Amino acid sequence: HSGSAAVGATGWVTNLNIPLDTEDMAAARRVARATGHRGGGLPAVEAMALPHTSGVEIACNLLDTDTSSEEDVILRVAELAQQHGLPLGTPSYILGPTRAQLLQGGCQ
C-alpha cells in the first residue's frame, strides 16, 4: 500500500457580526462593501450584509486582528451606518473563540 498526506494551515479568522436595526438591505450592502478591504475599507476584513431575524447583520471575517481589530471594525460599521441613516441593533458578537482566547488556553 502507498499513500500520501498533506497538511496545511491558514491564519486564524475571527467572525464578527454587527446587527443593524433596519430592513434596508441595499443600504446595509453599501455599508458592508465600504467596510471590507475589497470596497476600499479596512485591510484584512471581508464583510457582507445578511438578513437576520431582527433586521440585517454586517457579517465580517477579520483575517488579521493585528491589522484591523474588532474595535476598528465596529467603529467603521457604526460610522458608515450613521452616514446611511441606519441605527445599530443589538450589541455585536463574535462567533466561536478568538485567537486570543485560544492562545490563553481555550474557551469554556
Side-chain angles (χ1 to χ4, degrees):
H1 296 305
S2 64
S4 64
V7 176
T10 62
W12 185 258
V13 175
T14 299
N15 299 300
L16 173 66
N17 290 346
I18 305 166
L20 300 178
D21 190 15
T22 184
E23 299 294 328
D24 188 345
M25 184 61 83
R29 284 188 179 124
R30 289 191 294 274
V31 169
R33 190 173 308 116
T35 298
H37 70 273
R38 288 185 183 176
L42 297 170
V45 174
E46 299 172 338
M48 65 181 133
L50 299 173
H52 195 265
T53 57
S54 60
V56 178
E57 283 188 343
I58 305 301
C60 302
N61 292 329
L62 284 63
L63 306 176
D64 181 358
T65 54
D66 291 332
T67 301
S68 294
S69 70
E70 297 151 14
E71 293 81 16
D72 294 335
V73 176
I74 292 168
L75 290 173
R76 175 74 174 163
V77 170
E79 174 187 327
L80 292 165
Q82 183 179 19
Q83 289 175 11
H84 288 87
L86 304 176
L88 294 178
T90 57
S92 60
Y93 61 96
I94 293 174
L95 296 173
T98 65
R99 180 179 63 168
Q101 288 171 325
L102 291 174
L103 292 174
Q104 292 173 359
C107 62
Q108 283 73 30

